[in-house]
């Protein structure tokens, strides 16, 4: 069994961190003030479902242990043991992210009025509740408006802003936090000891650093390393097991890029790949390092003081700050984040990495030309009306004359054109609306493996035309379908599917149309060439072509500075 399941806390006392939540819940249980609806929000891997289960146990325990400061389930009575085993009929766990989520809510509505079969309370734990459909939310809302005395709802989500306000307002809300570095280190040491494994302090530190405050991630990493190395685990063992490069290696890679030696940087990547370096891990290391350099550029020493890294590594970051200006670095980071998502789908992991390198440094040349100085590009989003919208997201033509490294880019492009033939795409930059419309069924099929429901929602739409901004206009008759596809993540699944089938990334925009206007034959579809012009301008207003400190913060979740 996975470590995080084996060591899942069974009592409030065993929970790591989240003391503000544990204490409040214990006090409520002691005073017999059990709420009927709870909303647990916070990052993944921070204990939401674990605490939900302990709460379910504590509320149902036949012999709770009540002390001056606490309230604990006994963990021995019939209720506690059946809940811990997962065999209690009255505890229902629903994963809203799964396809059965809607059915489960309907089922819940029907059965909620029946009394629990064996426990005191029926407890419904709905994980990833933000994924419920509008219909399911409405059904849930009706239940929450008049909850029966014997029911407790615990809704958990990583995205509280996607939960309707009407639901949130009926719940007691608890915000879970990232765990502190020290809390994760202590738990790692405790578990390593139980597993008869010696974990060096610097190694525990390193795992905690890699897990970014999510205990579940830390335990998964520990497990991965333990399967590779028995006995004593050192920091170097972790690097080897996970394919993590030394900071000095990443730093010299950044130095090449900073000096404009893109070609040499690409060769360095090839050498690493030749040595068996995992590209996914390489990209992760680059993102982490680039982020540290960027944030120390923006906030100086104060930021470095927050990092749990060695003095030499801090010194190196200080020096690397001068290697690359923020605008260049930010453009590169954005592309790296893209690459991270593309890697899984690429047959040759080197291709997306190479393209990111070329794209970043060509884009930078153009961005610098647009703004007077790199510093200006960082402090204010570019407002130049001459610059087309979504500029940074459009493919950069490799053959653009006069661009730095263009001859090298040509070579790379030719090399990959020989190695990989993109199906039915004679030129990657001329995909036409007819092609997309013809291949729409293939695109639907391509989206399916990534997310079944996205493919289903997409079926509710019809591709119409490519608007003057180069976006594919998809018309929907139902706003629900349109809203689902407009979610950032879903949008990118659709764009990836178009890329897979047509060999080019075409941004999409969604449009709501009245039912009567729907042409039935593909031939009629061309009769609406201007459909894109009527698109709501608000739909793309959140996509800024420039780069700013705000962008940087958004990219990192805005939690560091
Ligand atoms: Zn009990």
């Amino acid at each position: 069994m996975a470590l995080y399941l084996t060591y899942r806390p069974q009592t409030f006392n065993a929970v790591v961190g989240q003391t503000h939540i544990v204490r409040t819940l214990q006090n409520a249980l002691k005073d017999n003030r059990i709420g009927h609806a709870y909303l647990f929000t916070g990052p993944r891997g921070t204990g939401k479902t674990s605490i939900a289960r302990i709460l379910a146990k504590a509320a149902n325990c036949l012999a709770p242990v009540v002390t001056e400061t606490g309230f604990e389930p006994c963990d021995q009575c019939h209720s506690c043991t059946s809940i811990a085993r997962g065999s209690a009929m009255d505890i229902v766990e629903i994963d809203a992210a799964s396809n059965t989520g809607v059915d489960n809510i309907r089922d819940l509505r029907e059965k909620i009025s029946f009394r629990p079969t064996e426990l005191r309370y029926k407890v419904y734990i709905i994980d990833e509740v933000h994924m419920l459909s509008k219909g399911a939310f409405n059904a849930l809302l009706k239940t929450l408006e008049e909850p029966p005395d014997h029911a407790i709802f615990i809704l958990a989500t990583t995205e509280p802003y996607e939960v309707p306000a009407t639901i949130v307002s009926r719940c007691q809300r608890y915000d879970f936090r990232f765990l502190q570095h020290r809390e994760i280190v202590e738990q790692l040491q405790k578990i390593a000891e139980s597993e008869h494994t010696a974990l060096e302090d610097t190694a525990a530190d390193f795992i905690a650093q890699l897990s970014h405050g999510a205990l579940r991630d830390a335990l998964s990493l520990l497990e991965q390393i333990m399967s590779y190395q028995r006995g004593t685990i050192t920091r170097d063992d972790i690097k080897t097991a996970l394919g993590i490069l030394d900071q000095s290696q990443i730093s010299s890679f950044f130095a090449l890029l900073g000096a404009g030696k893109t070609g040499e940087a690409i060769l360095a990547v090839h050498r690493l790949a030749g040595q068996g370096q995992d590209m996914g891990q390489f990209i992760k290391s680059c993102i982490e390092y680039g982020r540290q350099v960027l944030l120390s550029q923006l906030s100086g020493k104060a930021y470095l003081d927050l990092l749990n890294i060695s003095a030499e590594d801090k010194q190196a970051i200080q020096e690397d700050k001068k290697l690359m200006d923020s605008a260049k670095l930010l453009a590169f980071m954005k592309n790296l984040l893209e690459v991270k998502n593309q890697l899984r789908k690429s047959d040759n992991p080197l291709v997306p990495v190479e393209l990111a390198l070329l794209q970043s440094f060509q884009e930078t040349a153009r961005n610098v030309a647009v703004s007077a100085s790199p510093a200006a590009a960082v402090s204010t989003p570019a407002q130049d009306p001459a610059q087309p919208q979504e500029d940074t997201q459009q493919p950069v033509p490799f053959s653009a004359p006069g661009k730095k490294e263009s001859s090298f880019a040509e070579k790379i492009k030719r090399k990959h054109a020989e190695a990989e033939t993109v199906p039915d795409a004679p030129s990657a930059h001329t995909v036409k609306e007819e092609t997309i419309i013809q291949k729409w069924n293939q695109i639907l099929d391509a989206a399916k493996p990534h997310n079944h429901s996205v493919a289903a929602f997409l079926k509710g739409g019809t591709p119409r035309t490519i608007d003057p901004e180069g976006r594919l206009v998809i018309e929907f008759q139902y706003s629900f379908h349109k809203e689902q596809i407009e979610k950032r993540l879903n949008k990118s699944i659709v764009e990836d599917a178009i890329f897979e089938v047509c060999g080019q990334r075409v941004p999409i925009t969604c449009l709501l149309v009245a039912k009567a206007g729907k042409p039935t034959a593909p031939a009629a579809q061309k009769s609406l060439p201007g459909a894109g012009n009527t698109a709501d301008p608000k739909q793309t207003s959140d996509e800024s072509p420039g780069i700013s400190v705000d962008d940087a913060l958004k990219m990192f979740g805005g939690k560091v500075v």
Side-chain angles (χ1 to χ4, degrees):
M1 192 157 58
L3 277 186
Y4 85 90
L5 290 176
T6 313
Y7 292 94
R8 187 166 224 176
Q10 296 298 331
T11 59
F12 285 121
N13 192 31
V15 172
V16 179
Q18 317 299 0
T19 42
H20 60 300
I21 292 169
V22 168
R23 209 164 291 156
T24 316
L25 289 175
Q26 284 185 310
N27 285 336
L29 285 158
K30 252 168 89 173
D31 299 346
N32 205 15
R33 289 182 288 109
I34 300 174
H36 286 294
Y38 293 89
L39 178 64
F40 288 178
T41 74
R44 55 186 285 274
T46 52
K48 295 186 293 296
T49 44
S50 294
I51 291 186
R53 285 189 191 174
I54 299 171
L55 175 58
K57 261 203 297 202
N60 280 303
C61 179
L62 302 173
V65 184
V66 185
T67 62
E68 190 104 335
T69 52
F71 184 105
E72 290 285 3
C74 73
D75 223 16
Q76 281 163 9
C77 69
H78 175 70
S79 299
C80 283
T81 49
S82 70
I83 295 173
R85 269 201 316 270
S87 61
M89 298 280 288
D90 295 317
I91 309 293
V92 182
E93 290 197 32
I94 297 172
D95 178 9
S98 79
N99 283 334
T100 51
V102 183
D103 295 339
N104 281 328
I105 299 290
R106 207 171 292 142
D107 194 49
L108 177 158
R109 283 276 293 150
E110 282 162 16
K111 293 186 182 157
I112 191 73
S113 52
F114 299 117
R115 297 202 58 79
T117 51
E118 47 181 359
L119 304 179
R120 193 179 311 149
Y121 292 101
K122 267 189 178 172
V123 183
Y124 289 89
I125 300 172
I126 308 179
D127 202 10
E128 300 296 349
V129 69
H130 63 276
M131 297 288 284
L132 287 182
S133 66
K134 234 176 212 170
F137 269 130
N138 285 338
L140 182 61
L141 182 61
K142 288 206 184 89
T143 313
L144 291 182
E145 277 166 349
E146 289 171 48
D149 281 344
H150 59 252
I152 300 173
F153 291 89
I154 307 172
L155 317 180
T157 180
T158 49
E159 317 282 340
Y161 304 105
E162 291 191 23
V163 179
T166 44
I167 301 265
V168 177
S169 67
R170 282 181 170 77
C171 298
Q172 291 182 28
R173 177 171 168 168
Y174 290 86
D175 292 330
F176 284 60
R177 298 176 188 152
F178 280 112
L179 297 191
Q180 288 170 15
H181 186 81
R182 180 186 47 80
E183 291 169 335
I184 293 189
V185 167
E186 281 173 10
Q187 188 65 6
L188 284 168
Q189 293 288 20
K190 211 186 271 179
I191 290 178
E193 202 181 316
S194 309
E195 295 286 314
H196 309 292
T197 299
L199 185 63
E200 286 190 353
D201 286 347
T202 51
D205 246 4
F206 193 38
I207 297 176
Q209 192 189 321
L210 293 172
S211 65
H212 302 289
L215 183 60
R216 195 199 302 159
D217 291 354
L219 298 187
S220 301
L221 286 174
L222 177 63
E223 189 170 359
Q224 205 178 329
I225 296 150
M226 276 168 49
S227 66
Y228 166 90
Q229 168 84 19
R230 280 274 155 185
T232 304
I233 294 175
T234 66
R235 192 185 160 97
D236 281 343
D237 292 331
I238 299 170
K239 284 190 169 171
T240 317
L242 303 179
I244 295 172
L245 293 164
D246 278 326
Q247 188 183 294
S248 60
Q249 287 172 282
I250 301 287
S251 163
S252 40
F253 176 68
F254 273 65
L256 288 175
L257 295 173
K261 297 175 179 168
T262 316
E264 277 184 47
I266 289 179
L267 291 178
V269 175
H270 276 248
R271 270 196 296 275
L272 284 173
Q275 291 159 10
Q277 171 66 42
D278 174 60
M279 278 299 117
Q281 191 58 57
F282 172 69
I283 295 297
K284 262 195 209 167
S285 303
C286 285
I287 291 173
E288 185 58 29
Y289 186 68
R291 162 183 177 254
Q292 290 177 349
V293 173
L294 185 61
L295 289 172
S296 74
Q297 281 177 342
L298 296 172
S299 347
K301 199 175 161 296
Y303 168 71
L304 286 177
D305 289 343
L306 292 174
L307 294 177
N308 284 299
I309 57 173
S310 71
E312 298 102 73
D313 284 354
K314 279 183 192 173
Q315 183 62 34
I317 292 175
Q318 281 281 29
E319 283 162 19
D320 286 356
K321 270 165 50 171
K322 301 160 208 150
L323 283 177
M324 216 186 282
D325 65 63
S326 303
K328 228 180 210 183
L329 187 52
L330 196 47
F332 182 43
M333 301 278 291
K334 277 186 170 177
N335 284 326
L336 285 180
L337 287 170
E338 279 264 297
V339 171
K340 205 176 142 206
N341 298 328
Q342 289 166 6
L343 270 184
R344 273 172 292 125
K345 296 173 222 151
S346 177
D347 292 336
N348 180 354
L350 280 171
V351 180
V353 180
E354 286 163 358
L355 293 186
L357 286 170
L358 293 171
Q359 201 176 24
S360 307
F361 294 95
Q362 288 185 337
E363 268 183 7
T364 309
R366 190 182 41 183
N367 282 343
V368 171
V370 168
S371 61
S373 73
V378 171
S379 55
T380 51
Q383 297 287 337
D384 188 350
Q387 203 179 11
Q389 211 178 3
E390 293 189 47
D391 194 23
T392 52
Q393 289 173 16
Q394 284 185 352
V396 174
F398 287 112
S399 53
K403 294 263 165 72
K404 200 165 71 173
E405 299 283 353
S406 65
S407 63
F408 192 86
E410 283 281 288
K411 272 185 223 155
I412 291 280
K413 191 194 162 199
R414 234 176 292 136
K415 190 176 142 221
H416 290 307
E418 286 158 17
E420 295 191 347
T421 47
V422 182
D424 300 334
S427 161
H429 305 294
T430 57
V431 66
K432 294 208 170 66
E433 57 205 46
E434 290 89 336
T435 318
I436 295 179
I437 290 167
Q438 266 170 20
K439 296 187 173 177
W440 192 241
N441 282 336
Q442 271 170 269
I443 292 169
L444 291 173
D445 286 343
K448 218 183 245 173
H450 301 294
N451 187 323
H452 275 268
S453 33
V454 168
F457 295 135
L458 195 56
K459 265 191 194 144
T462 312
R464 277 293 173 233
T465 180
I466 291 183
D467 73 5
E469 270 108 65
R471 297 171 305 182
L472 173 71
V473 180
I474 305 176
E475 289 181 0
F476 290 88
Q477 288 177 32
Y478 298 102
S479 60
F480 177 66
H481 291 164
K482 173 173 165 282
E483 281 160 18
Q484 292 300 314
I485 295 298
E486 276 174 338
K487 286 185 180 170
R488 190 166 281 265
L489 191 70
N490 295 346
K491 218 174 183 180
S492 74
I493 289 176
V494 178
E495 289 167 1
D496 285 352
I498 296 174
F499 178 79
E500 269 180 56
V501 174
C502 303
Q504 189 190 335
R505 236 190 131 70
V506 181
I508 62 164
T509 183
C510 303
L511 192 65
L512 195 65
V513 291
K515 199 161 191 167
K518 193 197 176 193
T520 47
Q525 287 169 348
K526 283 188 210 158
S527 66
L528 284 172
N533 297 331
T534 61
D536 184 351
K538 271 183 291 182
Q539 284 164 1
T540 51
S541 61
D542 61 329
E543 289 170 21
S544 153
I547 43 173
S548 65
V549 176
D550 276 354
D551 286 343
L553 292 180
K554 245 182 258 159
M555 205 152 80
F556 307 136
K559 64 187 161 67
V560 182
V561 285

